[in-house]
C-alpha cells in the first residue's frame, strides 16, 4: 500500500506546507517502507531531499512514540558531512518543536561529550564507521543498542568498495544481532550497480527494497577554453589559474576540486598570488588542522566565501545551497566521482548543477569529454565488490572480545551476514581467530601476541583487559603514512605532513602548507616547528601517499573510442584536434581493440611507449614486469614511468621482439617472482599488520614513529615468510596487492585481449603522444617552481622534436 501526502501526520504536514513544499514521492515511499519494516536503499539525485527522506520515518516515529535511549544511528563516511547533517537537522526539529535529542560523535568530539553520550545516549546519534566500531567495543554495547530502531548509512556507495566498507559491514552485522528489529537505510546519489549495493545493505532479499527517486535537471558541464595554451604534459593545470580566478569573480561561491592534497596546496597558492581583489578564497583538505577545516566549513555555511580549493574531503553530500559552480581541476578519473562533485553546486533538484572541467593536458581533454558523455548516457562506474578482508576481520574479532565473551560458532554465523564475508570459509575464519588468539603458528611462543583465550565454558575472552585501550587507540582501516604535526612557532597547529617529507627538509628550507609558505625551523617534541618564510626561494610541496586516483575502466574505454574515431574530433578544441592530427602524421592513432607500442632512440636511450589505458596502478605493475623481461632480453633497462594512459620504459639497448615482451605469460612466473622479491607486498603487509592489531602504532602515552613501525613489520614479515608462508596476514597482503595496487585483473584483461593485435611503430623521434609521458620522467618529486609550467624547458624541447618533419 503506497503512502500519499495526506498520510503525513502533523506537525510534519504543516511544516512542509509552511515552507511551500510538497513531500516528494520518494520521501513518502520511504515512510511506507519503514512502516513495512523493510531495509531500503534510496537512490536520489543531489538536491532531492535524500537526507530528509532517510530521517523522516524516524522523526515521525519519535514524534508519535517518544522513547528514551538511542533510536536512530546515522553513519557517514566524512566527519564534515556528519557535522553538516547535524546542522541541517536543527532547523526542522526546532520549527516543529519535536524535542528530539541528537548528537555528533566523531574522532573530533571532546572526551567529556563522548563520555556523556555513552551514559545518556541521544535519540539520534550521528557518527562515522570508526566511531561505530568503537561504540560496539564497549562492555555496555548490548544495552546501548538494544532499542535501536533505524540505522541510516549515508553516501553508502562511497564506502562499500573499500576496507572501511568491510569494517562497516561487520559493524552492521553486529548491530543486527544486538538490535534484531532495527531496519537499515542506505542513501546514495550515484550508484553504478543498485542490486549489488542493496546486497551490501541487507542480507535478506525478502526484507529489502530499492526506492528510485525521479531524476533531477541534467547538469550543465563545459570544458574550460584553453585555445591559447593547452599543455602537452603535466598534471597541475596551473596554466588555468587566471581563468579559474575569473570564474570565481563571477559567482557567489565556487568549489575548486583537485585530486590530491599536494595539488590543493599548489593551486590555492597559484590563486592567492593573483588574488588582486582579495576575494575570500579558502583551502580545505584532510591534512589541515580540525579547527581550520571547521572554520572553512562554517564560513561556507554562512555564504562568506567566494571559493574553496578542496579535495575529496568535500566530495560528499554537504548541503551548501549557495554554491553555484564547481570547477574540477584535472581530469575526474571517473564519471561517478565527477557527478558526485558536480552535485555540490545548486543543491536543488529542479535546477541544473553547473560545472567547468579544467584538463591539465591534452590527454585529459579526451578524458573530460568521455566523462561528460558517460554522465549524459547515465553510465556510472564503480569498483568491483570487495572480498573478505581478513585483517579487518581480525580487528573486528578483537573488538567483539573487548565488549565481552563470545562463542566462535555464533560469531562466524554473524560475520557471514556481512556481504563481503558472505562466502567466508570456516577455515579462514578459524585462521583469523587463531591469529587474534595467538599470533599464529610462528608467533605463538611470544606472550605479547596472545590476545584471546578460551574459558572452561568454551567462550573466548581477552587474556588481559588492558588490551582494550590499545585496541581503541588503533581502531580503523585507514593506515596513512606516518605524519608529524606542524606548528607555527609556539602558536597553533596548522595540521599534519608526512614524516618522509619532513626527513628531506633541512633548517631554512621553505615548504607550502595550509596555504602559507613556511620555513622549516626544526623538530621539537616530535612536532615540526615552522615560521612564515621570507624571501623568494621556491617552496617544496608536501606529497601524500595514496593520493592519486586511478582512471576507471569505463572511462578508459570511452577515451580509447574517442581516439579511434576521427569522425568525432570536429567538436574538440583546436589544440587537441591539431595534436591528434600530428600524432596520425608522425606515428599512428590508438585503435580501440589494439595495443599501440612506439619505440625510438633519444639521447643515447631507447624508449618504448605503450598506450594501454588501464590506469596508473596497472601500469606500475606492467612497468615492473616489462623491465624484468627487458633485462632478460639483454636490453639493460634503466627505468620506467607510468600514467593513466600509457607507460614508458627506457633502456641502454633495444628490444627487438615486442610481441614476446607483452606476452600474457608474464602474469605467471614473472608476476610471482616480482611479488616475492618486491617491497610492495611487504609494504601492504605492514598496513595489514596495523589494521589487524599485530602492530600498534599508538600506545598509551606514546606513538611509534614510521621507522619503528616499518622495522617491526619487516622483521615479522621475514619470519612469517620463512616459517609460516600461509599465515593469514600474508594471505591478506597478497590478496590486497592483486586487487588494489597492482590492479592485476585489468592488466590481465588487457594482455589477453591484445594478443595478436600489438602494433609496433619504430620512430626516429618522440611522437606527439609520447611527449606527455617522457616529459614526466624524473619529475615525480620536484620543487614547486618546476611543477607543471605550461611548457617547461624539457617539454618545449620534446614538442619541438615531435613537430619536426623527417629529414
Amino acid at each position: 500500500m503506497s503512502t500519499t501526502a495526506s498520510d503525513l501526520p502533523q506537525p510534519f504536514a504543516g511544516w512542509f506546507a509552511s515552507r511551500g513544499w510538497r513531500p516528494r514521492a520518494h520521501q513518502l515511499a520511504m515512510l511506507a517502507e519503514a512502516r513495512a519494516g523493510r531495509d531500503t536503499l534510496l537512490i536520489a539525485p543531489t538536491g532531492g531531499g535524500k537526507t530528509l527522506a532517510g530521517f523522516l520515518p524516524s522523526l515521525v516515529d519519535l514524534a508519535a512514540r517518544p522513547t528514551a535511549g538511542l533510536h536512530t544511528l546515522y553513519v557517514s563516511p566524512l566527519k564534515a558531512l556528519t557535522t553538516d547533517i547535524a546542522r541541517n537537522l536543527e532547523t526542522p526539529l526546532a520549527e516543529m518543536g519535536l524535542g528530539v535529542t541528537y548528537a555528533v560523535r566523531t574522532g573530533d568530539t571532546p572526551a567529556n561529550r563522548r563520555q556523556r553520550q555513552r551514559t545518556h545516549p541521544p535519540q539520534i546519534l550521528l557518527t562515522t564507521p570508526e566511531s561505530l566500531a568503537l561504540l560496539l567495543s564497549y562492555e555496555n554495547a548490548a544495552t546501548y543498542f538494544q532499542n535501536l530502531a533505524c540505522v541510516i548509512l549515508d553516501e553508502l556507495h562511497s564506502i562499500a568498495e573499500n576496507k572501511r566498507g568491510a569494517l562497516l559491514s561487520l559493524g552492521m552485522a553486529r548491530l543486527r544481532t544486538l538490535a534484531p528489529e532495527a531496519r537499515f537505510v542506505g542513501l546514495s546519489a550515484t550508484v553504478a550497480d543498485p542490486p549489488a549495493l542493496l546486497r551490501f545493505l541487507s542480507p535478506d532479499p525478502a526484507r529489502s527494497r530499492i526506492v528510485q527517486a525521479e531524476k533531477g535537471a541534467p547538469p550543465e558541464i563545459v570544458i574550460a577554453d584553453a585555445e591559447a595554451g593547452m599543455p602537452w604534459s603535466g598534471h597541475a593545470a596551473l596554466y588555468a589559474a587566471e581563468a579559474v580566478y575569473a570564474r570565481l569573480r563571477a559567482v557567489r561561491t565556487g568549489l575548486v576540486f583537485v585530486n590530491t592534497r599536494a595539488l590543493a596546496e599548489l593551486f590555492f597558492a597559484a590563486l592567492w598570488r593573483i588574488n588582486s581583489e582579495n576575494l575570500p578564497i579558502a583551502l580545505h583538505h584532510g591534512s589541515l588542522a580540525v579547527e581550520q577545516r571547521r572554520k572553512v566549513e562554517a564560513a561556507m555555511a554562512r555564504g562568506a566565501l567566494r571559493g574553496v580549493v578542496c579535495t575529496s574531503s568535500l566530495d560528499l553530500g554537504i548541503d551548501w545551497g549557495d554554491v553555484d559552480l564547481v570547477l574540477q581541476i584535472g581530469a575526474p578519473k571517473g564519471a561517478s566521482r565527477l557527478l558526485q562533485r558536480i552535485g555540490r553546486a545548486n543543491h536543488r533538484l529542479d535546477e541544473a548543477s553547473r560545472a567547468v572541467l579544467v584538463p591539465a593536458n591534452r590527454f585529459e581533454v579526451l578524458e573530460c569529454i568521455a566523462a561528460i558523455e558517460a554522465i549524459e548516457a547515465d553510465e556510472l562506474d564503480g569498483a568491483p565488490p570487495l572480498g573478505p578482508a581478513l585483517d579487518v576481520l581480525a580487528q573486528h574479532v578483537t573488538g567483539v572480545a573487548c565488549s565481552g565473551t563470545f562463542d566462535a560458532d555464533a560469531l562466524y554465523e554473524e560475520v557471514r551476514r556481512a556481504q563481503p564475508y558472505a562466502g567466508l570459509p570456516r577455515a579462514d575464519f578459524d585462521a583469523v581467530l587463531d591469529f587474534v588468539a595467538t599470533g599464529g603458528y610462528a608467533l605463538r611462543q611470544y606472550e605479547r601476541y596472545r590476545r584471546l583465550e578460551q574459558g572452561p565454558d568454551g567462550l573466548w575472552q581477552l587474556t588481559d583487559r588492558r588490551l582494550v585501550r590499545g585496541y581503541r587507540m588503533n581502531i580503523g582501516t585507514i593506515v596513512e603514512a606516518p605524519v608529524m604535526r606542524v606548528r607555527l612557532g609556539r602558536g597553533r597547529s596548522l595540521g599534519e605532513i608526512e614524516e618522509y617529507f619532513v626527513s628531506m627538509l633541512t633548517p631554512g628550507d621553505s615548504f607550502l602548507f595550509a596555504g602559507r609558505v613556511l620555513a622549516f625551523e626544526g623538530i621539537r617534541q616530535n612536532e615540526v616547528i615552522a615560521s612564515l618564510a621570507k624571501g623568494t626561494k621556491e617552496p617544496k610541496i608536501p606529497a601524500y601517499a595514496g593520493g592519486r586516483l586511478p582512471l576507471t575502466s569505463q572511462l578508459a574505454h570511452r577515451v580509447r573510442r574517442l581516439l579511434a574515431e576521427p569522425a568525432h574530433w570536429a567538436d574538440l578544441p583546436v589544440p587537441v584536434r591539431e595534436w591528434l592530427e600530428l600524432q596520425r602524421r608522425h606515428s599512428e592513432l590508438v585503435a580501440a581493440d589494439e595495443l599501440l607500442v612506439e619505440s625510438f632512440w633519444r639521447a643515447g636511450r631507447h624508449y618504448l611507449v605503450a598506450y594501454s589505458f588501464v590506469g596508473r596502478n596497472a601500469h606500475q605493475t606492467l612497468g615492473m614486469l616489462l623491465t624484468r623481461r627487458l633485462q632478460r632480453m639483454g636490453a639493460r633497462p634503466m627505468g620506467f614511468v607510468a600514467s593513466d594512459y600509457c607507460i614508458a620504459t627506457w633502456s641502454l639497448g633495444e628490444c627487438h621482439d615486442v610481441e614476446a615482451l607483452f606476452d600474457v605469460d608474464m602474469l605467471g612466473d614473472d608476476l610471482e617472482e616480482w611479488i616475492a622479491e618486491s617491497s610492495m607486498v611487504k609494504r601492504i603487509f605492514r598496513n595489514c599488520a596495523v589494521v589487524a592489531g599485530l602492530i600498534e602504532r599508538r600506545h598509551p602515552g606514546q606513538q611509534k614513529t614510521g621507522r619503528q613501525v616499518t622495522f617491526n613489520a619487516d622483521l615479522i614479515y621475514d619470519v612469517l615468510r620463512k616459517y609460516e608462508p600461509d599465515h593469514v596476514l600474508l594471505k591478506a597482503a597478497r590478496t590486497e596487492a592483486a586487487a588494489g595496487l597492482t590492479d592485476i585483473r585489468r592488466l590481465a584483461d588487457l594482455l589477453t585481449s591484445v594478443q595478436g593485435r600489438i602494433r609496433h611503430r619504430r620512430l626516429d623521434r618522440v611522437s606527439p603522444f609520447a611527449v606527455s609521458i617522457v616529459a614526466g620522467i624524473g619529475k615525480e618529486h620536484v620543487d614547486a617552481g618546476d611543477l607543471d609550467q605550461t611548457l617547461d624547458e624539457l617539454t618545449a624541447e620534446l614538442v619541438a622534436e615531435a613537430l619536426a618533419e623527417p629529414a
Side-chain angles (χ1 to χ4, degrees), residues 373-384:
E373 290 181 349
I375 289 174
E376 290 173 346
D378 200 23
E379 293 179 5
L380 302 181
D381 38 33

Side-chain angles (χ1 to χ4, degrees), residues 560 593-595 597 610-614 618-619 621-623 625-626 629 647 658-668 670-671 742-758:
R560 289 180 69 100
D593 60 349
E594 293 181 338
L595 176 63
V597 179
Y611 301 93
S612 35
F613 293 89
V614 288
H619 283 152
T621 302
L622 181 58
L625 298 177
L626 289 177
R629 289 204 156 183
I647 179 170
V658 170
E659 289 274 355
L661 184 65
F662 286 89
D663 196 291
V664 73
D665 66 3
M666 75 166 67
L667 295 178
D670 280 352
L671 180 62
T742 59
D743 221 342
I744 290 172
R745 180 183 301 177
R746 287 181 73 176
L747 182 56
D749 290 344
L750 166 77
L751 293 176
T752 301
S753 66
V754 301
Q755 293 305 302
R757 289 199 294 273
I758 298 175

Side-chain angles (χ1 to χ4, degrees), residues 537-553:
K537 184 178 179 181
E538 288 291 351
K540 293 181 170 62
I541 310 294
Y544 300 88
R548 288 179 172 172
L549 305 166
L551 178 69
T552 63
S553 299

Side-chain angles (χ1 to χ4, degrees), residues 62 99 101 112 197 213 234 239 291 510 611 655 676 696 715 728 759 770:
L62 284 168
T101 59
N112 60 340
L197 193 60
Y239 76 93
E291 298 78 13
S510 59
Y611 301 93
C655 170
E696 294 181 342
L715 278 178
V728 65
R759 198 147 33 111

